[in-house]
Amino acid sequence: MRSVFIASVAGIAGVILGAWSSDILRSGQQSSYFEANDIENYFLKNPLVSKHNISLPEIVGSSWEAACFLGVGANATLVLDGILGINSWNLKSGRIVDEGLLDYLSKVILYNADGAVYVMSFDERDYKFFAPSNCHATEKVSISRTSEEVNSDPDGYGDHLITYRITVKE
């Protein structure tokens, strides 16, 4: 009976120590947040519509007035300050990161008349954008997505290159 009790206590202590040490080891790592956004999540949840032009408001909602497509290394803060004015916008979702550290990110910026901003970042090593420059009204923007396996893996988990094509209605 005593050995069962000691084994139980040791097992519980091991689980607690394992979880605690896991948090310590991961504390210095930066989480991969680049792909966690409404556009990528929409297409992952709806794989049958990937190759079709989908209206951007259908993906992100109708509360966003305009969408800006920034290439790799573009400074989102400068763009937003130029469009909305310095200190007149508020980041509601996403992250604006120091471009000196992460200059391999393409960005999609959504904003509305109230100064609310949503920034989505895409790692250029995994995602390619074909989009017109400048900002456009969201109701005129549609998007399609294709995926191509670039490094096959015998287990079926190869790397993929995701391509987004943005079209703007005239």
Side-chain angles (χ1 to χ4, degrees):
M1 180 77 167
R2 181 178 168 168
S3 62
V4 171
F5 175 74
I6 291 173
S8 298
V9 170
I12 292 171
V15 169
I16 292 170
L17 285 174
W20 180 68
S21 66
S22 170
D23 287 340
I24 288 174
L25 293 175
R26 282 188 279 129
S27 65
Q29 297 177 353
Q30 183 175 7
S31 62
S32 175
Y33 59 87
F34 312 121
E35 298 84 12
N37 58 63
D38 287 354
I39 293 174
E40 184 64 6
N41 288 337
Y42 177 86
F43 285 108
L44 290 174
K45 289 178 184 176
N46 301 291
L48 299 178
V49 300
S50 293
K51 295 181 182 176
H52 304 290
N53 282 334
I54 305 299
S55 169
L56 188 59
E58 183 179 333
I59 297 171
V60 298
S62 60
S63 64
W64 301 109
E65 180 180 301
C68 303
F69 302 94
L70 305 181
V72 173
N75 189 322
T77 301
L78 289 177
V79 170
L80 289 167
D81 286 347
I83 294 170
L84 299 173
I86 297 172
N87 297 325
S88 63
W89 54 273
N90 187 11
L91 187 64
K92 294 295 183 185
S93 187
R95 293 173 80 176
I96 296 179
V97 295
D98 181 1
E99 293 307 324
L101 297 174
L102 301 172
D103 60 354
Y104 50 83
L105 299 178
S106 296
K107 287 161 264 336
V108 176
I109 299 175
L110 303 172
Y111 66 88
N112 64 23
D114 297 329
V117 172
Y118 179 13
V119 176
M120 293 176 262
S121 297
F122 296 86
D123 187 330
E124 75 166 340
R125 297 168 293 186
D126 297 323
Y127 296 88
K128 297 292 179 207
F129 269 86
F130 294 99
S133 59
N134 300 324
C135 300
H136 306 278
T138 54
E139 69 267 2
K140 293 185 176 186
V141 175
S142 59
I143 187 168
S144 63
R145 176 187 186 272
T146 57
S147 176
E148 172 188 354
E149 188 172 18
V150 290
N151 293 324
S152 60
D153 183 288
D155 294 331
Y157 297 105
D159 296 329
H160 286 82
L161 176 64
I162 308 299
T163 301
Y164 288 106
R165 295 196 185 283
I166 310 298
T167 56
V168 179
K169 298 175 200 167
E170 295 298 324

